[in-house]
Amino acid sequence: MKTFGLKASLLLIAILVFTDCLNVEGQVCHPSGKIRGKKPPPGECNQGNDSDCCKEGKLYTTYKCSPTASSHTKAYLTLNGFEKDEDGGAPSECDNQYHSDDTPVVALSTGWYNKGSRCLNNITITANGRSVVAMVVDECDSTMGCDSDHDYQPPCANNIVDASRAVWKALGVPQDQWGGLDITWTNA
């Protein structure tokens, strides 16, 4: 009888650990609020790389979190300019520098950026049957936007990997298809 009780207890513990792991993997990031768009002053919204400008009065969803990162985190790859006077705006958050678009660098949504904990670390991005290693140099702000600090662009969604041209080239995506692509990524 003792053996049965011990086996039942171990089985129950294993089930609880397994279901807890499923809960972590399936955690959902809920919106944290909304901001109202402001019309950018003339010439103040850089629309390079097909970037959007905020629309007067439109409500934009904000996030303080991102989906849980895993060994195969699903994300949406976007195109960003990391050089001076491009749609990335200011120098990168991680090192206060601009970066060549011919270098594989990325900005991560606020939750994944995690207050800079991934700064200057590499991630591996996989899509289109290929992988590329890129360095995290910036945050794609999911909490703010539609102001001069954010080049009058809306806040990023919570699942964005905003990448330089070099990343898109390395993934073998034809240039006329650059801008948005479903990917997976992991810490390198």
Side-chain angles (χ1 to χ4, degrees):
M1 195 65 162
K2 283 184 176 181
T3 306
F4 176 76
L6 179 62
K7 287 180 182 178
S9 296
L10 289 174
L11 179 62
L12 181 60
I13 289 170
I15 290 170
L16 290 173
V17 168
F18 179 73
T19 56
D20 186 53
C21 289
L22 287 177
N23 286 337
V24 169
E25 181 72 24
Q27 283 180 345
V28 177
C29 171
H30 296 288
S32 58
K34 295 207 179 268
I35 59 171
R36 189 169 301 280
K38 302 173 204 159
K39 185 177 180 181
E44 291 295 312
C45 180
N46 186 332
Q47 292 182 285
N49 295 321
D50 293 326
S51 294
D52 292 330
C53 292
C54 291
K55 307 269 189 276
E56 178 91 33
K58 181 176 178 180
L59 290 176
Y60 294 94
T61 303
T62 59
Y63 295 89
K64 293 180 182 174
C65 56
S66 291
T68 303
S70 68
S71 62
H72 55 277
T73 306
K74 292 181 180 180
Y76 193 68
L77 190 71
T78 55
L79 179 62
N80 188 45
F82 291 87
E83 297 177 2
K84 188 171 174 59
D85 297 324
E86 289 191 321
D87 60 312
S92 297
E93 287 289 323
C94 292
D95 58 6
N96 201 34
Q97 302 289 314
Y98 291 101
H99 295 269
S100 169
D101 291 329
D102 295 322
T103 302
V105 293
V106 298
L108 296 178
S109 292
T110 297
W112 290 332
Y113 180 75
N114 193 21
K115 300 176 184 156
S117 69
R118 287 193 167 91
C119 273
L120 307 180
N121 289 316
N122 291 328
I123 64 170
T124 302
I125 300 164
T126 303
N128 205 30
R130 296 185 183 188
S131 292
V132 60
V133 174
M135 183 187 297
V136 176
V137 297
D138 208 353
E139 174 183 16
C140 192
D141 199 338
S142 305
T143 65
M144 303 286 292
C146 299
D147 56 15
S148 60
D149 287 347
H150 297 89
D151 217 9
Y152 292 95
Q153 296 173 2
C156 282
N158 67 344
N159 66 336
I160 298 296
V161 175
D162 207 11
S164 64
R165 287 188 313 239
V167 171
W168 288 86
K169 286 179 184 176
L171 291 173
V173 179
Q175 191 167 352
D176 64 346
Q177 295 176 23
W178 290 3
L181 181 68
D182 290 325
I183 62 161
T184 59
W185 71 271
T186 187
N187 293 315

